[in-house]
């Protein structure tokens, strides 16, 4: 007892060592290219506000308008459930949580737009707007009114607007530095990328800024917007988006699908441009495979059907938005764009129904996996990782609470982080 049993082998240690040496570069490449989940919160949406419209009260104004729309067109749980088809068992909890969210944190990610939503302006006007945006973002972070994530969308790297985009970015980042430094939730968006070299140019630009201000190399990341056919399939027939992730040199934080630019570039007529069009599904599937394991997250686009006007029209727009958000969630696109304050009630309703509707099943499966208790579903480590990620995303957005997750699973947030493969583990 206690002694290792001797077993027969045929291969010399040098064989194993030789294989290890031969694959050392592959091991290093896998670790570099596929680091896994970054372990941070992913917002459920991004709200775009034109640079000239952004104000100190934008977040609260959007929340108040969203609450007014909810109270006017679905004042109670039964009304909201009837409009959206939310199961009766979830209706009250979803409605109450949506309302609380709109009071507490109506916007999770705000992008101040200096691209399509802002358009061409005189240089002096855009200079002033970029400086003003920096001052407002810095003040919001100082006084505690900022969204968890905030930043700008600059103009793209195409020749006609490149210099303007670079200058706006420089003004914005410089303004933040002068106001005390870059906030933790800073997010930058590079739109209309067609070539990987444009991503490389963004990297060089941020490197130069970091060096100028003595910042740690790699401090500033950015999102890549996928809005052109060239960003999905290059002239050589290869998936360009994968090359863009590589060209970002670890700075790419997410890929955002641009519904209308991409649809138009594929020749889709305006009436049929939508998140659920086949060209959208193809592009997003390519994005999904390219980003898998890299730590680069995904965001779906938006609907341009606004919930405004009569109650019947608002309900029609809400049903469309709720259905599209729910569809994206089921397809592992956990973030999307919202274009109007009245989109917020259905964004959160869809998100909360998604996480609350699957809470008990996911918790039971994860608890059984941890306890090795078996059951009618035999889950593997990869599925346990997905189950933990599901619960963590629900916690992050306020759909579920740590107390109920602990009650159903017996696990802490640190346990969930470990099972999900998140490198940071903060117990809640």
């Amino acid at each position: 007892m206690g002694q290792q049993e001797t077993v027969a082998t045929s291969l010399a240690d040098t064989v194993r060592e030789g294989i290890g040496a031969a694959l050392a570069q592959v091991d290093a490449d896998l670790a570099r290219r596929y680091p896994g989940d970054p372990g941070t919160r992913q917002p459920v949406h991004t709200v775009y506000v034109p640079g000239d419209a952004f104000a100190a009260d934008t977040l609260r104004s959007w929340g108040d308008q969203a609450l007014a729309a909810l109270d006017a067109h679905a004042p109670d749980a039964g009304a909201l459930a009837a409009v959206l088809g939310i199961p009766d068992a979830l209706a009250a909890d979803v409605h109450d949580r949506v309302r609380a969210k709109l009071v507490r944190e109506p916007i999770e990610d705000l992008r101040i737009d200096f691209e399509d939503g802002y358009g061409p302006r005189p240089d002096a006007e855009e200079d002033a707007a970029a400086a003003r945006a920096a001052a407002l973002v810095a003040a919001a972070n100082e006084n505690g009114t900022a969204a968890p994530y905030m930043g700008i969308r600059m103009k793209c790297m195409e020749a006609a607007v490149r210099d303007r985009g670079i200058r706006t970015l420089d003004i914005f980042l410089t303004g933040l530095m002068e106001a005390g430094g870059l906030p933790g939730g800073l997010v930058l968006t590079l739109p209309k990328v067609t070539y990987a070299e444009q991503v490389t140019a963004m990297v060089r630009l941020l490197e130069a800024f970091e060096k100028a201000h003595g910042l740690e190399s790699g401090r500033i990341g950015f999102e890549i917007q996928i809005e052109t056919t060239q960003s999905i399939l290059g002239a050589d027939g290869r998936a360009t988006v994968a090359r863009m992730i590589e060209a970002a040199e670890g700075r790419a934080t997410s890929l955002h699908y641009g519904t209308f630019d991409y649809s138009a570039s594929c020749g889709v007529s305006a009436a049929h441009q939508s998140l659920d069009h086949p060209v959208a599904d193809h592009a997003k599937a390519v994005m999904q495979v390219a980003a898998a394991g890299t730590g680069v997250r995904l965001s779906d686009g938006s609907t341009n059907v606004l919930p405004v006007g009569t109650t019947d029209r608002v309900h029609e727009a809400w049903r469309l938005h709720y259905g599209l958000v729910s569809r994206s969630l089921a397809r592992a696109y956990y973030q999307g764009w919202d274009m109007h304050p009245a989109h917020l009630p259905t964004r959160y309703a869809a998100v909360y129904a998604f996480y609350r509707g699957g809470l008990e099943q996911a918790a039971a499966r994860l608890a059984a996996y941890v306890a090795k208790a078996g059951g009618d579903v035999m889950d593997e480590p990869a599925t346990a990782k997905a189950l933990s990620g599901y619960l963590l995303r629900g916690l992050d957005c306020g759909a579920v609470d740590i107390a109920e997750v602990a009650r159903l699973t017996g696990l802490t947030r640190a346990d969930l982080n470990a099972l999900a493969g998140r490198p940071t583990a903060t117990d809640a």
Side-chain angles (χ1 to χ4, degrees), residues 130 262 321 418:
Y262 188 86
H321 187 235

Side-chain angles (χ1 to χ4, degrees), residues 301-341:
S302 62
T303 174
N304 59 0
V305 179
L306 304 184
V308 295
T310 65
T311 293
D312 284 345
R313 288 180 65 88
V314 170
H315 285 179
E316 183 179 1
W318 272 357
R319 280 190 289 270
L320 173 65
H321 187 235
Y322 180 88
L324 290 171
V325 174
S326 299
R327 184 180 188 272
S328 296
L329 290 167
R331 285 157 174 77
Y333 268 75
Y334 301 116
Q335 185 177 351
W337 296 4
D338 289 323
M339 299 180 70
H340 190 275

Side-chain angles (χ1 to χ4, degrees), residues 149-377:
Y149 299 93
M150 296 180 74
I152 66 168
R153 178 169 71 167
M154 60 190 281
K155 290 177 171 64
C156 70
M157 286 291 181
E158 293 177 356
V161 294
R162 182 186 304 138
D163 289 349
R164 180 63 260 180
I166 291 172
R167 181 171 174 82
T168 296
L169 179 65
D170 188 6
I171 292 170
F172 178 72
L173 292 178
T174 300
L176 290 176
M177 292 299 298
E178 291 179 344
L182 303 182
L186 175 68
V187 189
L188 306 174
T189 305
L190 179 65
K192 292 183 176 60
V193 183
T194 52
Y195 279 74
E197 289 80 0
Q198 294 168 330
V199 175
T200 300
M202 183 69 165
V203 172
R204 300 287 90 83
L205 181 64
L206 297 177
E207 282 178 343
F209 187 89
E210 290 165 349
K211 185 175 181 180
H213 288 273
L215 297 173
E216 178 185 1
S217 179
R219 164 64 180 85
I220 310 173
F222 60 97
E223 303 167 337
I224 301 170
Q225 276 202 288
I226 306 301
E227 303 178 272
T228 66
T229 55
Q230 295 92 338
S231 61
I232 293 297
L233 191 68
D236 57 3
R238 292 192 291 176
T240 321
V241 65
R243 296 173 57 199
M244 290 177 178
I245 293 173
E246 177 71 7
E249 299 178 19
R251 293 178 186 265
T253 57
S254 57
L255 304 174
H256 285 232
Y257 176 68
T259 308
F260 305 105
D261 281 291
Y262 188 86
S263 297
S265 71
C266 287
V268 179
S269 61
H272 298 284
Q273 293 175 1
S274 175
L275 299 180
D276 57 359
H277 193 281
V279 302
D281 284 341
H282 171 260
K284 289 183 286 186
V286 175
M287 291 164 60
Q288 195 165 38
V289 174
T294 65
V296 177
R297 285 165 165 168
L298 301 168
S299 176
D300 213 334
S302 62
T303 174
N304 59 0
V305 179
L306 304 184
V308 295
T310 65
T311 293
D312 284 345
R313 288 180 65 88
V314 170
H315 285 179
E316 183 179 1
W318 272 357
R319 280 190 289 270
L320 173 65
H321 187 235
Y322 180 88
L324 290 171
V325 174
S326 299
R327 184 180 188 272
S328 296
L329 290 167
R331 285 157 174 77
Y333 268 75
Y334 301 116
Q335 185 177 351
W337 296 4
D338 289 323
M339 299 180 70
H340 190 275
H343 279 141
L344 301 185
T346 38
R347 168 67 62 183
Y348 291 120
V351 169
Y352 289 178
F354 177 74
Y355 289 114
R356 296 207 63 77
L359 172 61
E360 293 193 3
Q361 183 186 52
R365 288 177 65 178
L366 191 59
Y369 172 84
V370 172
K372 303 187 186 309
D376 59 354
V377 179

Side-chain angles (χ1 to χ4, degrees), residues 38-78:
T40 55
R41 173 184 180 182
Q42 180 181 12
V44 302
H45 69 166
T46 301
V47 164
Y48 277 69
V49 176
D52 57 338
F54 177 58
D57 66 346
T58 291
L59 276 76
R60 187 63 267 151
S61 175
W62 272 61
D64 290 345
Q65 291 178 69
L67 284 165
L70 185 64
D71 290 342
H73 304 294
D76 54 48

